[in-house]
Amino acid sequence: MLAVIGGSGLTQLANLDITRREVVRTPYGEPSGPLTFGRLAGRELVFIARHGYGHTIPPHRVNYRANISALRSAGVTHIVSVASVGGIRADLGPGALVVPDQIIDYTWGRHSTFFDAHDGQVRHIDFTEPYDAALRERLIEAAALAGETVVDGAVYAATQGPRLETAAEINRYERDGADVVGMTGMPEAALAREAGLAYAALNVVVNHAAGRGDSAHGIRMADIEAMLQEAMVRVRHVLEKVCESGVCR
Ligand code: HPA
């Protein structure tokens, strides 16, 4: 079964026919909210709002472990993560949809693993390719079916937040090879891999990163908000096509 983790601007899926909501408890504490089960394009899907249904949980306080654990225990096999980002690369301006293929993790102090060796076992995952290749392909195909252009491949820089970056930090991330910047991509992707779940991300560029383009002298939250609303309509269409393509049950 497919799960969608909705980020800022996507606290619900308007086109989801909701069948039930389930409060799930996990050994890692509370997920961001109840899991919402429903049908999209006639197929079953689970939705969770990463920041809570009222958008009350900032990126550094999201219980990523509980979210992934809850989805897994609900029978989820595939996760599409929707998250807004700032565009660093010149061609990734507001409104661009991106399916990233790499991650650099700059976050700190988050509970970032299930493999804490509480059972005496030391485990490692391979994370060379952090996103599931087949699910990425499905997302890209679904976007084409929805008539949306998506950028195939980008390096996602995961920052701690909740503040936005300085211009110098963005310059540094670019030198490191990053193309987009967001606050929630990690440890979510790594936890999904540890849990054995196929995971891919659909990033929505909602602003030029700090110091770039029309963010040269600052970023206006109102502009981000306006772009989020507009872009999420397109994201919902892409998700419908992902369901039609058969990832959902
Ligand atoms: N930086 C970090 N996270 C973000 C941004 C940004 O510019 N825009 C949306 N999420």
Side-chain angles (χ1 to χ4, degrees), residues 83-87 156-157 159 163-165 170 181-184 204 206-210 219 224:
S84 63
V85 293
Y156 175 102
T159 58
R163 66 167 177 84
L164 294 165
E165 297 71 35
I170 293 299
V181 57
M183 301 176 191
T184 56
V204 182
V206 291
N207 58 281
H208 287 287
I219 299 174
I224 291 187

Side-chain angles (χ1 to χ4, degrees), residues 80-131:
V80 170
S81 155
V82 179
S84 63
V85 293
I88 299 176
R89 213 167 80 195
D91 61 318
L92 301 179
L97 298 182
V98 180
V99 178
D101 63 346
Q102 279 296 330
I103 298 174
I104 303 176
D105 186 8
Y106 299 97
T107 67
W108 48 270
R110 302 182 179 190
H111 291 294
S112 57
T113 182
F114 292 119
F115 294 170
D116 262 335
H118 293 310
D119 57 359
Q121 299 278 328
V122 175
R123 296 193 191 86
H124 305 281
I125 48 162
D126 170 49
F127 207 45
T128 311
E129 301 291 340
Y131 299 107

